Amino acid sequence: MSVGGGIAPSVLETLEFPAALERVAAHAAGPLGAARVRQRRPGADPDAIRAALAQVTELAALLLTDDTIRAEPVPDVAAALDLLGVAGSALEGPALALLGRALAAARVVAADLARLARDAPRTAALRVDPPPRALEQRLAESLDADGQLRDGASRGLARARRAVREAREHLVQRLEALLGALDATERAPDAAVTLRGGRYVIPVRSTARARIGGIVHDESASRATVFVEPPEVIELGNALRAAEAEEQREVLRVLRELTEALRPHRDAIAAACEMCVAFDDLCARARYAVEVNGFAPAIAAGPLQIRNGRHPLLVGDATPVVPFDLLLAPDECTVLVSGPNTGGKTVLIKAVGLLCLMVQSGIIPPLGPQSTLPVFGGVFADIGDRQSIAASLSTFSAHLAQLRDILEHAGAGSLVLLDEIGSGTDPAEGGALAAAILKTLTRRRAVTLATTHLGALKQLAAETVGIVNASLQFQTETLTPTYRLLKGVPGRSYGLAIARRLGLAGDVLELAERAVPDAERTLDALLAAVEARARDLEARERELATRDAVLRADTERMDARAADVQSRQAEVKARAARLDRDAREQTRAYLLEARKKVEDALGRARAAVDEATAKEARRLVEQAIEETAGETAGEKPGDRWMSLDELKRARKGASSPNLPLPPATSTVPTPRVAAATEISLLGLRVSEAEPLLVKALDDAVLADLPYLRVIHGKGTGALRQLVHDMLSADARVKRFGFAAANQGGSGVTVVEFGA
């Protein structure tokens, strides 16, 4: 972002903005990305700031779940691109190798951005199409990592280098032979073929120079040894030089060819490199936001709202940073921070300024969620000792010069940071001047943060609309700062208390305390009372929070117990239902087994007794079954089954008045059975329909009905399936099937009984 209007470089230095950028740049993958971060400056366009912060937020959210997202470092190819713009120029091998690495990085970054298109569309918007991959491949095939042309860059180059190697080998072999043929008095100590002035030579003693002849290309420092190219190898040396010249011509031709291949793609290469640098810059800002747990603030024209703010240069240090909340109301413009030295007042106002500068530079600083920052068109700061010996300015004069500049330029939409305003001169005059400056800036609606030790300024908040007191909490018992910002409460100086703690003489302190004006003493006592009250409230709040946590824990335990009881009740209910169902199944099985035995007995009885006796016996047996079932269900204990002999005796007794009747306890009443030829099971559950169907079948058999119509409907087919299953298992049923279409069709089953 460009330098915002009204934000001077000196202000950026005062607030340590470059140091903050360095923290962000440390997350870049390459030097160009880091340099791009360092070049960031606060902007003044709200839409551009919002877009930059949204882009960082989007990528930071992805980094929380996918740490594999990485930028690719791209080399600086600006000079090579400039030369590509010059027609007829040829790039050297190292420059071409840099371009090859840049193309490779651009291809990887473009692929990564394409992959992020769905989850991070703002980030993916950085993507541009890289140049054809064939260019990258050709450069990789033609050049090694150092930019030297490979032999395979062209056939001509391969031939030329082969010729150079052969000529060199021939020349060196000839020189070694000549050197070996020399006498020890003619050969220099440790003599070997060497290179001087681009020509291969042998070292010989100066005394043998005339005999050996040839061209001298160098001599030793003592002149005892000369380096000679013998006449026998001069032509071989010339042949080597010619081969080398041919090689250089082919190298230059290949370099020109590669350069010409890249030249049409110069703009695409530049755009691809810019994509890589921009992505590196964005990744660095996103990783920084994750590291400091920063949240993008809302950019709005409303009041300043900093939540959970931390000084960017203190985050990550060994000492934990105490966060602060600075929430201004719409009618508040000026915050006057008072309190003792070493309480953190200067750090606070610098932190506010630095957070705002970083946000306007597209960086998410250590801010908590739901923060809101306006865009400041101008940022002004008067912090630190501005004494200048060279300019013959005292500290107070230097501050006045800075304040004059601020008053000339600051207004609505400006952020003004003033440290120890009114200091450096007589307290009364300094306080009056400071009050006038603060009132003026407040009327102009400039957002102002000022620190002071002057007690008189603490009254401004009560007298002037738009000014509010604040302080950084100080631990009274230990006289140590807590660095917690308290808005609406001015701070005490604690000067005499600190002096007493440091052991200053008691009589001196007594004199000092008597010299404090009554108004100051009264205000200090009032502030002490407010602080004590605040501590009490904080202690009570902590106690209430603890009790609330205990209550929440108890509530959670009760809820867990209630859920456990409900679960157990449901389990007991389900178990009871299962037991009831099992009992019903056992009873039904028992009855079916009993009925089967009775039918077998009746079949045998029919051979011995007439039909009337059989019917009577069936009725008595069925009644006994019902009574037995009742006993199974808990009804009338003591009833018993009647044997077949008893049934015969009862029958004979009923037909022969001379025979004695069976005992009362062994007889069963024989009421007449009223049976229907039709039963309806419509609207019933399977469990409800089953006993009714059993009774209807029994009644029909006892009444000697030829058939029974069972109306079960079509529905889901569950009732129909139950009816058919029961009829299939009943030996008394001769056959069954659906009724005629005009009599109910598949919704009615007609049952026929056997003879």
Side-chain angles (χ1 to χ4, degrees):
M1 291 186 177
S2 61
V3 176
I7 305 179
S10 60
V11 172
L12 301 180
E13 289 290 340
T14 297
L15 297 179
E16 299 180 272
F17 181 68
L21 290 182
E22 198 62 47
R23 294 276 183 109
V24 184
H27 294 275
L32 293 186
R36 180 66 60 86
V37 172
R38 296 187 193 101
Q39 293 166 3
R40 288 194 159 267
R41 293 296 179 269
D45 182 356
D47 291 336
I49 295 171
R50 291 189 194 98
L53 296 179
Q55 196 177 38
V56 175
T57 300
E58 176 188 76
L59 185 56
L62 277 184
L63 289 174
L64 290 173
T65 57
D66 184 4
D67 193 51
T68 62
I69 299 174
R70 288 279 188 276
E72 286 290 320
V74 62
D76 186 359
V77 294
L81 290 175
D82 289 342
L83 196 57
L84 277 181
V86 179
S89 61
L91 294 175
E92 296 290 338
L96 290 170
L98 283 180
L99 286 172
R101 289 199 290 273
L103 291 175
R107 176 176 49 81
V108 173
V109 170
D112 287 343
L113 290 176
R115 180 171 56 88
L116 297 176
R118 182 175 63 86
D119 297 325
R122 292 184 178 88
T123 302
L126 295 175
R127 186 185 183 280
V128 298
D129 290 331
R133 190 171 182 180
L135 291 176
E136 175 193 343
Q137 292 174 335
R138 184 173 180 186
L139 290 174
E141 292 168 356
S142 301
L143 299 158
D144 62 17
D146 297 327
Q148 298 298 315
L149 281 176
R150 303 181 189 274
D151 289 354
S154 73
R155 292 181 179 178
L157 182 59
R159 286 194 302 270
R161 285 184 173 173
R162 186 167 54 252
V164 168
R165 286 193 297 272
E166 292 173 353
R168 183 181 295 113
E169 289 172 2
H170 190 191
L171 172 60
V172 170
Q173 288 173 358
R174 180 64 176 149
L175 285 172
E176 288 176 345
L178 291 174
L179 186 60
L182 292 177
D183 187 82
T185 59
E186 298 173 327
R187 188 170 59 237
D190 300 324
V193 177
T194 186
L195 197 63
R196 287 291 187 274
R199 305 285 289 194
Y200 283 90
V201 295
I202 55 175
V204 298
R205 296 183 183 276
S206 300
T207 55
R209 167 184 168 185
R211 192 186 70 79
I212 295 173
I215 302 172
V216 176
H217 290 279
D218 199 2
E219 62 182 1
S220 65
S222 63
R223 295 186 179 182
T225 301
V226 293
F227 297 89
V228 177
E229 182 181 14
E232 297 94 329
V233 298
I234 290 177
E235 287 303 319
L236 293 177
N238 291 341
L240 175 61
R241 293 294 293 270
E244 290 174 341
E246 179 60 28
E247 177 193 7
Q248 288 303 312
R249 283 192 293 271
E250 184 60 20
V251 165
L252 182 58
R253 189 193 68 77
V254 173
L255 292 177
R256 288 185 182 278
E257 188 177 89
L258 293 174
T259 302
E260 291 301 322
L262 292 171
R263 203 183 307 278
H265 303 281
R266 176 179 177 273
D267 292 341
I269 296 172
C273 291
E274 171 59 25
M275 171 187 66
C276 295
V277 175
F279 185 53
D280 196 3
D281 169 28
L282 176 58
C283 284
R285 288 180 286 142
R287 291 189 179 279
Y288 175 77
V290 171
E291 180 187 64
V292 301
N293 193 27
F295 291 81
I299 304 299
L304 183 75
Q305 303 275 309
I306 293 179
R307 300 178 189 273
N308 199 36
R310 289 146 289 155
H311 195 296
L313 296 181
L314 298 181
V315 174
D317 291 347
T319 304
V321 180
V322 179
F324 66 91
D325 292 340
L326 181 58
L327 311 177
L328 298 186
D331 61 343
E332 294 173 343
C333 294
T334 300
V335 180
L336 187 59
V337 186
S338 54
N341 287 325
T342 72
K345 300 188 301 297
T346 303
V347 172
L348 171 70
I349 65 172
K350 291 179 73 173
V352 172
L354 195 51
L355 292 172
C356 293
L357 292 176
M358 293 179 76
V359 167
Q360 290 184 211
S361 301
I363 298 170
I364 297 179
L367 276 176
Q370 299 180 344
S371 298
T372 301
L373 296 182
V375 175
F376 295 110
V379 178
F380 305 89
D382 180 27
I383 300 174
D385 187 357
R386 295 186 174 274
Q387 183 176 12
S388 174
I389 297 176
S392 300
L393 291 176
S394 66
T395 299
F396 182 67
S397 298
H399 279 301
L400 283 181
Q402 188 69 17
L403 291 171
R404 180 189 61 200
D405 181 68
I406 291 173
L407 289 173
E408 286 178 358
H409 298 97
S414 296
L415 175 64
V416 181
L417 307 172
L418 304 174
D419 190 29
E420 299 296 347
I421 186 171
S423 62
T425 187
D426 176 74
E429 291 186 354
L433 180 61
I437 292 172
L438 293 176
K439 289 180 180 179
T440 300
L441 292 173
T442 303
R443 283 196 303 270
R444 295 181 184 177
R445 304 291 298 171
V447 176
T448 305
L449 274 72
T451 69
T452 185
H453 281 289
L454 300 177
L457 292 181
K458 300 174 185 179
Q459 305 290 338
L460 276 179
E463 302 169 355
T464 309
V465 175
I467 299 179
V468 61
N469 277 317
S471 60
L472 286 159
Q473 190 181 54
F474 213 69
Q475 194 65 260
T476 306
E477 294 80 4
T478 60
L479 295 180
T480 55
T482 67
Y483 304 108
R484 288 185 57 199
L485 178 64
L486 303 175
K487 181 169 166 276
V489 181
R492 300 166 59 196
S493 66
Y494 291 97
L496 296 179
I498 294 174
R500 180 176 289 104
R501 182 179 179 83
L502 294 177
L504 202 63
D507 54 344
V508 175
L509 289 171
E510 221 174 290
L511 287 173
E513 287 172 349
R514 286 201 297 269
V516 175
D518 291 341
E520 292 286 339
R521 190 181 296 110
T522 302
L523 177 60
D524 192 69
L526 177 62
L527 292 177
V530 170
E531 287 182 1
R533 177 63 174 164
R535 286 194 299 273
D536 291 342
L537 290 175
E538 285 182 4
R540 188 172 180 184
E541 183 180 359
R542 286 194 298 270
E543 181 183 354
L544 289 174
T546 302
R547 292 176 60 185
D548 183 60
V550 172
L551 287 174
R552 281 199 303 271
D554 290 343
T555 302
E556 290 174 359
R557 284 197 295 272
M558 293 295 293
D559 291 343
R561 288 192 62 184
D564 184 52
V565 169
Q566 278 187 330
S567 175
R568 291 187 179 184
Q569 286 178 342
E571 184 179 348
V572 169
K573 188 175 180 181
R575 186 177 179 185
R578 287 196 303 272
L579 291 174
D580 182 65
R581 185 170 61 253
D582 292 345
R584 288 176 180 272
E585 291 292 334
Q586 290 175 0
T587 301
R588 178 172 177 268
Y590 178 74
L591 291 175
L592 290 176
E593 180 65 22
R595 184 179 294 112
K596 182 178 179 182
K597 290 182 178 179
V598 169
E599 290 297 329
D600 292 342
L602 287 175
R604 292 193 299 271
R606 285 194 186 100
V609 299
D610 57 16
E611 186 63 25
T613 303
K615 290 182 178 179
E616 183 66 17
R618 184 183 293 111
R619 182 186 67 76
L620 293 174
V621 170
E622 293 295 338
Q623 185 172 345
I625 290 174
E626 291 181 4
E627 291 172 356
T628 302
E631 182 179 343
T632 305
E635 300 174 359
K636 294 179 67 179
D639 289 351
R640 62 184 182 84
W641 285 91
M642 184 177 287
S643 68
L644 185 59
D645 292 337
E646 289 175 323
L647 287 173
K648 290 178 180 178
R649 287 198 297 271
R651 177 58 180 162
K652 289 178 180 179
S655 60
S656 303
N658 295 327
L659 292 176
L661 293 173
T665 57
S666 64
T667 60
V668 180
T670 57
R672 293 196 49 90
V673 177
T677 59
E678 182 176 282
I679 179 173
S680 175
L681 305 179
L682 296 176
L684 299 179
R685 297 187 180 93
V686 170
S687 60
E688 297 170 338
E690 183 176 350
L692 294 179
L693 180 57
V694 170
K695 188 174 185 307
L697 290 171
D698 293 343
D699 290 347
V701 171
L702 288 173
D704 201 22
L705 297 178
Y707 68 90
L708 175 67
R709 283 170 51 86
V710 182
I711 304 173
H712 45 68
K714 299 177 182 179
T716 62
L719 281 176
R720 181 177 67 243
Q721 187 63 41
L722 170 70
V723 170
H724 288 190
D725 289 346
M726 292 182 63
L727 295 177
S728 298
D730 197 327
R732 299 170 298 177
V733 176
K734 182 177 182 181
R735 67 174 65 88
F736 63 88
F738 290 128
N742 60 352
Q743 296 179 4
S746 60
V748 177
T749 296
V750 178
V751 185
E752 295 183 22
F753 299 102

